Amino acid sequence: MALYIAPIVTAVVGILTKYMPYALTGTGFGPFTGIGKLFTGVMANPPEAWVDGVRTQIDDSGNTLAERHEITIKFAVTAAEPDDIQAAAVVYMKAIADAFDAAQPSDWGVVQPNRARMVEHDYGPLFVHGNVLARFPEAHLEIEVNEPG
């Protein structure tokens, strides 16, 4: 039975949880305070992140399902100064990429990817609320797997 995107989302949360603290070492920034599975529009305690399974493309020609999963990691950063919020967005984006570079096959769980790659960085608009600036950058991933059909 195909598992589709659910175990991929779970694995991405686990990889971020496991490797982000190491990827942020020496940057002056701490790990995400929480990593959820769907952004609800509420930012309680930045820096936070959400992992959303956006889309799955399926090719079932043969005895396996060739799947390409699109995952979005949205994260929230805040600061008082524009330069500081841009720096935070860039540091966290790089740490996300570094976390995936550090991931081992065992980190992916039941569905092993043939290929996992970051395909886009979207730093998004700047929001202002009083004296606080907020940004919600997104890292877009493509993860290709084969599952028994």
Side-chain angles (χ1 to χ4, degrees), residues 58-83:
I58 301 170
D59 177 3
D60 65 355
S61 58
N63 57 4
T64 63
L65 297 175
E67 303 166 357
R68 176 179 292 151
H69 302 290
E70 296 177 23
I71 304 288
T72 296
I73 301 167
K74 180 185 285 281
F75 58 98
V77 291
T78 59
E81 299 294 329
D83 289 348

Side-chain angles (χ1 to χ4, degrees), residues 1 7 15 22 30-31 37 53 77 96 111 113 133 137 141 148:
M1 179 172 91
I15 289 166
Y22 302 108
K37 289 190 178 177
V77 291
I96 289 169
V111 179
L133 305 173
L141 309 173

Side-chain angles (χ1 to χ4, degrees), residues 71-101:
I71 304 288
T72 296
I73 301 167
K74 180 185 285 281
F75 58 98
V77 291
T78 59
E81 299 294 329
D83 289 348
D84 295 339
I85 199 161
Q86 181 63 23
V90 170
V91 166
Y92 281 103
M93 192 68 76
K94 182 175 182 327
I96 289 169
D98 290 348
F100 282 94
D101 287 345

